[in-house]
Amino acid sequence: MGRQIAVFGTGYLGATHAACMAELGHDVLGVDVDEAKLAKLAAGELPFFEPGLPEVLQRNIEAGRLRFTTSYQEAADFADVHFIAVGTPQKHGELAADLRYVDAVVESLAPLLRRPSVIFGKSTVPAGTAARLSTRARELAPDDAFAELAWNPEFLREGYAVKDTLHPDRIVLGVDSTRKGNAEVVAREVYAALLEEEIPFLVTDLPTAELVKTSANAFLATKISFINAIAEICEATGADVSVLADAIGHDARIGRRFLNAGIGFGGGCLPKDIRAFIARAGELGASQAFSLLREVDSINMRRRNKMVELAREAAGGSLVGARVAVLGAAFKPDSDDVRDSPALNIAGQIQLQGAAVSVYDPEAMENARQLFPTLEYASDVPTACAGADVVMILTEWKQFTGLDPIELAKCVRQPTIIDGRNCLMPKAWRNAGWTYRGIGRP
Ligand code: UDX
């Protein structure tokens, strides 16, 4: 039997979670303050690009299992299982996470609860947040027993959001170890279909659950910056980091995934999450351990500068008056997300140094234009590359990795390509007359 569930926040995480919970057979109400966004979702339209999610959304709206509202009262009346899935962005001018949206859900929801309910936090938060919110929810609820708070972090990747929600690698549930509660029983009901697939289910205390999420992201970021640091050494010695990654990746303890050297990580999660982790470690007096993560962050940012330098060299020592084509604006392929996108950041820096930059991305044009309105946007690859002195591949879309170097050479002024994701076959491009530069590759 399905449960009645409310999901607060209908951004990437919340919209995906709401639709997927309905797909599991639950009755779901998505709650947000943004009416325009809700109207779109209710009409079965996603405000972002995520393969496979529109179908799940539409199917469940039609089946009557998924609705949307701005009313917290309606949510509290309807559901006794609540998920917090609002954003925790980086604070302006600080490393720390901005928790105002998470706090606002608890502040608004808890006073409206009229029966025993479980609030599951999914948002990524600094360790200690869940315990604080647990106390606060009980204070605000009309009866102490109405508000139980647990933490159930989300590990979804953009581009695989449906799969990661319905078939995750693991389910982690942090419960308040100082009180007896119902959260584990409720979570087992909500995720019954997943547990049948024998997906590992780990029950922890609240801070462990919060830290599982932040450490997983910190580890992934470290892996990427590790290989980018090795790429710097490869550049200095003439070694090839791609071959090296294949070779070390065969060791099962290391693994090949997340060892692609390039312009580094971006997006709405890894950059802000490692920064929030550094900030929290500092507050807790454990800042020395986290000088490692500062280094991870600075190696990552250094790759962006390195790309600008490469472009300057390729343009003959100065970017003033050069035409640069930037292929890719999204922070990774199969996404229209440009939050902290290394591609756009590099495009912006190159333009600031005097080049005419023309950007093309298969999905992220609208978002890119909003964030960086001063860049020039082209309608397709040949238009972006017309008359270019330098072509840069900054997001490894299939459309770009499959480009024909002979064809593309016809539109440019000078056949120079910089492969910021090491996603092209250097030989094929060189044979077609291009000057090819990759990252950490001879
Ligand atoms: C990430 C985590 O993977 C996910 O588990 C978490 O819940 C949210 O954050 P996502 O932001 O969707 O997911 O992106 P991810 O696929 O992890 O890629 C992050 C960035 O790292 C991208 O900019 C990507 O281009 C870059 N990357 C990834 C590399 O530079 N090299 C790699 O080998 C892998």
Side-chain angles (χ1 to χ4, degrees), residues 50-189:
E50 179 61 38
L53 187 53
E55 292 79 355
V56 179
L57 181 75
Q58 285 150 17
R59 185 158 59 235
N60 286 285
I61 292 172
E62 271 161 35
R65 281 191 301 265
L66 179 57
R67 294 177 299 120
F68 297 93
T69 184
T70 53
S71 164
Y72 271 66
Q73 185 66 59
E74 191 183 343
D77 293 343
F78 169 76
D80 58 358
V81 179
H82 301 278
F83 284 97
I84 304 178
V86 292
T88 51
Q90 188 177 343
K91 276 187 190 164
H92 285 295
E94 279 180 59
L95 293 179
D98 185 347
L99 297 174
R100 78 174 85 168
Y101 307 110
V102 172
D103 285 333
V105 173
V106 171
E107 296 288 324
S108 315
L109 175 65
L112 302 173
L113 298 172
R114 293 291 177 270
R115 63 201 140 127
S117 309
V118 182
I119 305 172
F120 293 100
K122 292 206 82 65
S123 312
T124 302
V125 292
T129 307
R132 174 174 66 76
L133 292 176
S134 170
T135 308
R136 186 71 186 137
R138 286 199 309 269
E139 274 168 16
L140 290 168
D143 184 320
D144 187 67
F146 290 177
E148 180 182 354
L149 191 125
W151 218 260
N152 171 219
E154 182 58 56
F155 303 98
L156 68 81
R157 294 160 299 168
E158 296 188 12
Y160 301 89
V162 174
K163 181 190 163 288
D164 286 351
T165 306
L166 293 177
H167 310 279
D169 296 330
R170 72 296 208 188
I171 301 168
V172 175
L173 180 70
V175 296
D176 190 340
S177 43
T178 61
R179 296 167 55 92
K180 250 189 96 61
N182 218 12
E184 184 181 341
V185 173
V186 173
R188 284 186 182 277
E189 265 184 59

Side-chain angles (χ1 to χ4, degrees), residues 275 296-305 340 345:
R275 288 176 189 155
V296 165
D297 197 0
S298 68
I299 292 169
N300 193 52
M301 299 316 275
R302 221 153 57 213
R303 299 320 287 170
R304 303 182 182 186
N305 300 338
D340 206 345
N345 182 306

